[in-house]
DNA sequence: CCTACCGATCGGTAGG
DNA sequence: CCTACCGATCGGTAGG
């Protein structure tokens, strides 16, 4: 049984994600729960504290899912695949909360916003580290892009999923992760045909 | 000399981009221009119409820059590189306006919002078409990802640039575009070593 | 958790 | 473009 507090956070997540934090009033949240506006304050301290709680919990989900994989065994490409799949999993299992964490955290007050900025940097650093290790090991070649830029590129693509994912869409979260991993690891360009021996022996 | 109307749109773009549309009041915009709140209405019809004008103009910039390249000459990879560079150029030459177009258009009323949704779909379709043509021509191989998903992936990564780009950052828009194009076309994984003849003849 | 309310601020307008 | 204002709504609180 969800506590009242959890119901409030769930409803607030849905509304913040759908309309944006600033465009959602406390009375909107209350109405969705059949309460009066003021009654919410028996459970929360302020609108910003409610946002902070949602953001904090989502942040912990992302970290908890991805960090052990970054530090785990496997080659860099293997770990990246696993981290990417975990990130997609966190986004798609609670899209509203992920969306609030990813795009509404900027509405926090200065103190909490800076905390979240640090947590986000630390999260991206997991990806940067694996990319750097892969380069050192000769498993990855990011062209001229350094690990920081490659991680920014990847996380931008992944976070976009929160904007368009629908549970009833054609692709499961696992399928989305597979395809995105293929795009990130191999790109879209057909490698120049080099003696892969499909029979004709190189169509130049 | 910028007209008053243009000054209002520029200032509104900066504030909408920095704080969000819903969290920006007409009096905020007026104050930045040393005006009284009500005075803005000598130049605009409503807050939403102001947002709509900014979004519309930015939308036209993106379309105008990219469409001719999609329809232009060159192989699919060449055209994708050019389109990607043009998109980055539009984002970075007016980051606030791009950001408003990319992330604040959802605050438009239903009628205008649907129009913009169509324009965005048409924009993405340019990328999808080139990706599909490249696949047909054997120039591109997107793994299991279809052109639509690959375009979504790419545009998510590109639009993220609006969130972090700073004119005084270490990379020029052209350098960002080059690196992102490398990541999109080739991915990050080192191709398996196949007779490229660096001397040792294949270190497996 | 409700009733009733607070001061502040919102988008927008009348009249000049 | 300003002064002065409109009704509506905001986040939040007192008291029960």
């Amino acid at each position: 049984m969800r506590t009242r507090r959890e119901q409030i956070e769930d409803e607030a997540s849905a509304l913040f994600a759908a309309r944006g934090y600033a465009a959602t009033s406390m009375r909107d949240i209350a109405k969705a729960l059949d309460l009066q506006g003021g009654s919410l304050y028996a459970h929360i301290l302020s609108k910003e504290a409610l946002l902070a709680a949602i953001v904090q919990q989502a942040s912990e989900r992302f970290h908890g899912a991805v960090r052990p994989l970054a530090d785990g065994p496997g080659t860099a490409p293997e770990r990246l695949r696993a981290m990417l799949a975990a990130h997609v999993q966190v986004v798609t299992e609670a899209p509203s909360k992920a969306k609030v964490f990813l795009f509404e955290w900027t509405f926090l007050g200065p103190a909490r916003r800076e905390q979240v900025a640090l947590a986000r940097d630390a999260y991206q650093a997991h990806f940067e580290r694996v990319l750097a290790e892969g380069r050192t090991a000769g498993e990855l070649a990011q062209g001229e892009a350094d690990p920081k830029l490659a991680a920014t590129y990847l996380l931008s693509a992944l976070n976009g999923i929160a904007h368009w994912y629908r549970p009833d869409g054609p692709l499961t979260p696992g399928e989305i992760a597979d395809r995105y991993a293929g795009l990130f690891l191999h790109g879209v360009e057909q490698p120049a045909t080099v003696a892969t021996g499909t029979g004709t022996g190189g169509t130049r």
Side-chain angles (χ1 to χ4, degrees), chain A:
Chain A
M1 34 171 63
R2 276 144 81 233
T3 63
R4 203 48 152 165
R5 167 77 197 213
E6 287 166 338
Q7 291 177 34
I8 292 170
E9 289 178 0
D10 289 354
E11 205 59 60
S13 299
L15 290 168
F16 291 166
R19 308 181 191 174
Y21 173 78
T24 302
S25 73
M26 297 306 289
R27 286 166 178 81
D28 290 335
I29 299 167
K31 195 179 299 174
L33 295 163
D34 277 313
L35 295 179
Q36 296 303 312
S39 304
L40 292 172
Y41 290 87
H43 302 93
I44 64 165
L45 282 173
S46 68
K47 190 187 180 189
E48 194 223 333
L50 176 56
L51 173 63
I54 297 165
V55 166
Q56 177 62 27
Q57 288 166 32
S59 176
E60 287 167 8
R61 293 226 181 207
F62 279 102
H63 271 87
V66 165
R67 190 181 40 218
L69 299 171
D71 297 335
T75 65
E78 286 167 356
R79 280 182 285 156
L80 280 173
R81 266 190 192 274
M83 292 162 69
L84 193 156
H87 186 99
V88 173
Q89 185 63 36
V90 173
V91 168
T92 54
E93 83 191 354
S96 293
K97 295 187 176 184
K99 214 173 161 187
V100 172
F101 168 62
L102 294 170
F103 304 114
E104 304 295 320
W105 67 281
T106 52
F107 292 101
L108 290 168
R112 283 160 162 154
R113 195 173 58 233
E114 282 167 38
Q115 270 190 11
V116 174
L118 290 176
R120 290 173 61 96
D121 286 348
Y123 184 71
Q124 176 167 333
H126 296 320
F127 290 86
E128 295 172 9
R129 197 173 68 249
V130 175
L131 284 162
E133 291 171 1
R135 171 174 282 186
T136 301
E139 296 155 351
L140 300 180
Q142 298 136 41
E144 312 237 25
D146 61 10
K148 189 181 179 69
L149 194 71
T152 298
Y153 166 91
L154 172 60
L155 285 173
S156 296
L158 293 185
N159 293 343
I161 295 172
H163 277 133
W164 57 260
Y165 175 74
R166 297 286 174 271
D168 57 346
L171 296 179
T172 65
E175 290 168 342
I176 295 167
D178 280 346
R179 284 154 178 71
Y180 269 40
L183 289 167
F184 182 63
L185 291 172
H186 307 130
V188 299
E189 193 162 22
Q190 188 77 259
T193 50
V194 274
T196 11
T198 37
T200 52
T203 46
R204 324 195 38 179

